[in-house]
C-alpha cells in the first residue's frame, strides 16, 4: 500500500507544525549551527557518497551534505517545506513524495542515484510517520541501500513535539529487527553521547550484510 490512505502525523498536526519551518529559517539567517545531524551523517559516509535525506523538511541536512560533495536526494511530502527547501537551497534536488512512495521508478525518474550509501531520517521523522507505518518505512529505506549502506535515524524518546507519537527504544528496536535491519550503534546525541532516555540516535544496517562498506585507514 502506498501513502495515499495513510496521513502522516505531521500532516494531521496541520498548523501546529508551522513553527518548524519558520524557526529553522530564522536560525539559518542568524548563522546558528543547524548542522549537528549532518556532521555525523558526513562522518558515516564515504567521500562523494550517494545520500538520501528521508523527510528532509526545509533542507538543512541535505544542503550541508551537498556542500560536502555528496550526491544528495531530499525526499519530503509537505509541499510548503518543499517550496522552502527549494527557495533556501536551490542546488538541492527535492522529490515531493512520501517515503512509502519511494520506489525504483520514482528514483530512476530523478536521473540521480537509485541506491544510497547512506539514508538519513533525522529530526523526528520516525515519530511523525503515519500510524502503524514504521516497519514499512524502515523496510522501504532498507531497500534503497547500496551494498554496505547504512541508515542514520534520530528522534525524541521523551519530551518530543506534542503532535508526535511516543516511540520507545524497545519498540523501535523491535521494528528495526522486523524490518530486516540491525542496530549497529545507539547514542544519546549527534555528538555521540551515551544513550539516554530523552533522545536516540541510531546507526542501522541490513541484518544480512550486503558488503563491508569501508576500507581501513592507511596508517
Ligand atoms: C520535524 S520535521 C524534520 C525535518 C528534517 N528531517 C530536519 O531534521 O530538519 C519532520 C519531517 O518528517 C516528515 N515526514 C513525516 N512522515 C513522513 C513520510 N512518511 N515520508 C516522508 N517524510 C515524512 C515531515 O513531512 C517533516 O518534514
Amino acid at each position: 500500500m502506498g501513502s495515499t490512505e495513510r496521513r502522516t502525523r505531521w500532516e494531521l498536526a496541520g498548523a501546529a507544525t508551522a513553527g518548524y519551518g519558520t524557526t529553522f529559517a530564522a536560525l539559518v539567517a542568524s548563522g546558528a549551527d543547524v548542522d549537528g545531524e549532518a556532521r555525523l551523517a558526513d562522518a558515516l559516509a564515504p567521500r562523494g557518497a550517494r545520500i538520501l535525506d528521508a523527510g528532509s523538511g526545509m533542507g538543512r541536512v541535505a544542503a550541508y551534505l551537498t556542500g560536502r560533495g555528496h550526491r544528495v536526494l531530499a525526499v519530503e511530502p509537505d509541499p510548503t517545506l518543499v517550496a522552502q527547501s527549494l527557495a533556501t537551497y536551490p542546488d538541492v534536488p527535492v522529490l515531493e513524495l512520501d517515503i512509502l512512495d519511494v520506489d525504483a521508478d520514482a528514483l530512476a525518474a530523478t536521473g540521480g542515484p537509485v541506491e544510497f550509501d547512506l539514508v538519513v531520517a533525522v529530526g523526528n521523522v520516525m515519530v511523525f510517520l503515519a500510524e502503524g507505518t514504521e516497519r514499512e518505512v524502515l523496510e522501504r529505506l532498507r531497500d534503497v541501500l547500496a551494498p554496505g549502506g547504512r541508515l542514520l535515524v534520530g528522534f525524541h524518546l521523551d519530551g518530543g513535539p506534542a503532535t508526535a507519537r511516543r516511540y520507545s527504544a524497545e519498540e523501535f528496536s523491535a521494528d528495526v529487527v522486523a524490518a530486516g535491519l540491525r542496530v549497529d550503534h545507539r547514542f544519546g546525541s549527534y555528538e555521540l553521547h551515551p544513550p539516554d532516555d530523552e533522545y536516540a540516535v541510531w546507526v542501522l544496517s541490513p541484518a544480512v550484510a550486503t558488503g563491508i562498506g569501508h576500507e581501513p585507514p592507511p596508517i
Side-chain angles (χ1 to χ4, degrees):
M1 197 193 297
S3 65
T4 325
E5 307 81 0
R6 296 175 290 183
R7 300 177 71 198
T8 68
R9 288 184 173 83
W10 185 263
E11 188 185 355
L12 290 172
T17 61
Y20 159 77
T22 52
T23 298
F24 273 98
L27 288 170
V28 169
S30 73
D33 176 22
V34 295
D35 298 327
E37 296 92 334
R39 280 192 293 273
L40 178 56
D42 181 49
L44 291 171
R47 296 308 85 190
R50 299 158 293 178
I51 300 180
L52 179 74
D53 184 3
S56 54
M58 56 75 70
R60 65 192 175 107
V61 175
Y64 177 92
L65 292 168
T66 300
R68 297 293 299 157
H70 302 295
R71 292 178 71 194
V72 185
L73 176 64
V75 175
E76 170 57 51
D78 180 333
T80 304
L81 292 178
V82 172
Q84 181 178 349
S85 183
L86 292 171
T88 314
Y89 309 110
D91 295 341
V92 178
V94 187
L95 192 55
E96 188 175 320
L97 216 52
D98 191 290
I99 295 166
L100 289 172
D101 296 324
V102 174
D103 58 16
D105 288 344
L107 292 172
T110 68
V114 296
E115 60 178 16
F116 298 89
D117 304 297
L118 184 68
V119 171
V120 177
V122 296
N124 277 328
V125 172
M126 288 304 299
V127 290
F128 278 113
L129 300 176
E131 185 178 351
T133 63
E134 291 82 359
R135 288 185 184 188
E136 203 178 329
V137 164
L138 288 168
E139 286 169 359
R140 194 57 65 109
L141 298 181
R142 180 205 62 200
D143 287 346
V144 299
L145 290 177
R150 297 189 287 177
L151 268 86
L152 176 65
V153 178
F155 59 88
H156 276 94
L157 299 170
D158 198 13
T163 51
R165 68 162 290 191
R166 190 174 184 286
Y167 204 177
S168 72
E170 294 70 26
E171 202 176 344
F172 178 73
S173 300
D175 287 342
V176 165
V177 171
L181 292 160
R182 68 164 192 236
V183 173
D184 290 339
H185 308 283
R186 175 185 162 193
F187 305 105
S189 76
Y190 294 98
E191 291 80 36
L192 309 187
H193 291 97
D196 62 44
D197 295 334
E198 278 185 33
Y199 200 89
V201 174
W202 312 80
V203 180
L204 313 174
S205 60
V208 177
T210 54
I212 296 173
H214 65 89
E215 291 179 14
I219 52 171

